[in-house]
Amino acid sequence: MSIWEYANPKRFMQTSGALLPWVSIAAVILTVAGLVWGFFFTPDDYRQGSTVKIIYLHVPSAMMAINIWIMMLVTSIIWLVRRHHVSALAAKAAAPIGLTMTLIALVTGAFWGQPMWGTWWAWDPRLTAFLILFLFYLGYIALWEAIESPDGAADLTSILCIVGSVFALLSRYAVLFWNQGLHQGASLSMDKREHVADVFWLPLLVSIAGFVLGFVALMLLRTRTEIRSRRLRALEARERMS
Amino acid sequence: MMPELGKYAATVLSAYGISLVLLAGLIAFSLWRSVRVRRALAEQEARMQRHD
């Protein structure tokens, strides 16, 4: 069986319909478990105090903000190369989730930054790249709404997605090649010196798993809605013509 | 049950509050649109079946 079979909307609807309840349940359990564990049952950090509890929202949302754009990049390229409608609709469906994740990362980052850095905002490379990524998400969603032809919108948004990928990657790697920023490096790293302590890391891992599954569940739900919406528009057009 | 958040209580609670509201809004909007589109499609299909 080939992965391209899921490019068939009917096949996608069948498979996603079967998966959606299970993925949703797992997402709710893991997200609630990660956040409750992190908020109620982890100690304060010796330097950051209770603000360390923001990590369970900030890191998963920031990771998702970047990775969702990368997922949109892959599906956009599939659309441009192979013209599979489901992949274009999956990118469209994912964008508002990515926008929300970027907004959560920016807001929680500001709340965390204020007591730790003494400022809500700094024109730090990572923060600035994230703000630009947020604007790209807004532009991407607006472009889909602005163009009437679905295929034309899919083409132009795919190109916008490819351009915006620079900022998605920049928001991930900016701290590595720009030293003047306030933002620290990766919270999750194979390097033990950079890694957060296990007492924070384990609930963080559960929270990240919850956010990933939450994204998958929402993306499946929203892609199914986009496929139905496309079919609805096609039927309405057929009715008008007959 | 509530952990002792000390002088950062307002900061931590605000970050959680806003994030949870944003997540709840996203989920609610996605579900609402899903129901609305599914209902509209069912009505359209039924109408076209009657006309065929």
Side-chain angles (χ1 to χ4, degrees):
Chain A
M1 195 174 81
S2 159
I3 192 172
W4 302 116
E5 284 181 32
Y6 296 102
N8 177 331
K10 198 172 173 184
R11 185 67 197 254
F12 179 87
M13 292 298 275
Q14 281 172 349
T15 311
S16 61
L19 281 175
L20 190 53
W22 301 106
V23 179
S24 305
I25 291 168
V28 170
I29 291 172
L30 286 173
T31 307
V32 171
L35 293 181
V36 168
W37 185 359
F39 188 85
F40 291 99
F41 302 107
T42 57
D44 290 354
D45 180 67
Y46 76 103
R47 275 184 302 192
Q48 304 188 45
S50 62
T51 61
V52 73
K53 294 182 190 297
I54 296 175
I55 200 173
Y56 308 108
L57 287 165
H58 182 71
V59 171
S61 59
M63 283 179 70
M64 293 314 297
I66 298 167
N67 292 331
I68 289 171
W69 192 276
I70 301 301
M71 170 259 159
M72 287 162 56
L73 170 68
V74 172
T75 52
S76 296
I77 291 172
I78 292 172
W79 161 255
L80 288 175
V81 175
R82 299 190 66 134
R83 312 304 282 180
H84 292 316
H85 284 101
V86 172
S87 66
L89 295 178
K92 182 184 181 188
I97 312 171
L99 178 79
T100 309
M101 291 296 153
T102 315
L103 190 54
I104 291 173
L106 285 168
V107 168
T108 53
F111 273 104
W112 203 353
Q114 208 283 329
M116 293 302 109
W117 298 338
T119 180
W120 296 94
W121 178 261
W123 294 102
D124 160 283
R126 181 173 269 187
L127 271 65
T128 308
F130 247 90
L131 180 63
I132 297 173
L133 182 65
F134 176 74
L135 297 176
F136 262 94
Y137 270 119
L138 277 180
Y140 180 93
I141 294 166
L143 196 55
W144 264 108
E145 298 303 320
I147 299 169
E148 206 159 310
S149 154
D151 285 7
D155 285 341
L156 290 176
T157 52
S158 295
I159 292 164
L160 182 70
C161 188
I162 292 168
V163 176
S165 301
V166 174
F167 293 96
L169 293 173
L170 208 57
S171 44
R172 171 70 183 82
Y173 295 109
V175 284
L176 300 180
F177 50 82
W178 264 313
N179 292 327
Q180 73 270 34
L182 282 172
H183 203 289
Q184 87 282 7
S187 302
L188 297 177
S189 168
M190 300 304 281
D191 185 342
K192 275 281 178 192
R193 284 169 303 179
E194 287 185 15
H195 210 300
V196 295
D198 280 354
V199 69
F200 305 118
W201 182 67
L202 293 172
L204 177 58
L205 217 55
V206 176
S207 185
I208 289 171
F211 270 64
V212 170
L213 287 179
F215 162 67
V216 174
L218 275 173
M219 201 267 292
L220 290 177
L221 173 75
R222 296 179 62 89
T223 306
R224 289 166 63 80
T225 303
E226 292 301 334
I227 290 171
R228 287 195 178 109
S229 175
R230 189 167 170 269
R231 177 166 164 73
L232 176 63
R233 282 198 302 272
L235 290 179
E236 285 170 347
R238 195 189 300 171
E239 190 181 43
R240 277 196 301 273
M241 286 169 74
S242 61
Chain B
M1 186 64 192
M2 187 71 183
E4 181 54 55
L5 299 173
K7 60 179 177 176
Y8 300 126
T11 301
V12 175
L13 291 175
S14 301
Y16 269 79
I18 292 172
S19 301
L20 294 178
V21 165
L22 285 171
L23 282 176
L26 174 70
I27 294 166
F29 178 73
S30 301
L31 287 171
W32 171 77
R33 184 153 183 269
S34 169
V35 169
R36 200 176 59 121
V37 169
R38 194 162 43 185
R39 192 176 298 154
L41 179 60
E43 283 169 9
Q44 182 70 26
E45 283 176 337
R47 190 163 56 239
M48 290 185 78
Q49 257 177 358
R50 279 198 302 272
H51 290 185
D52 284 345

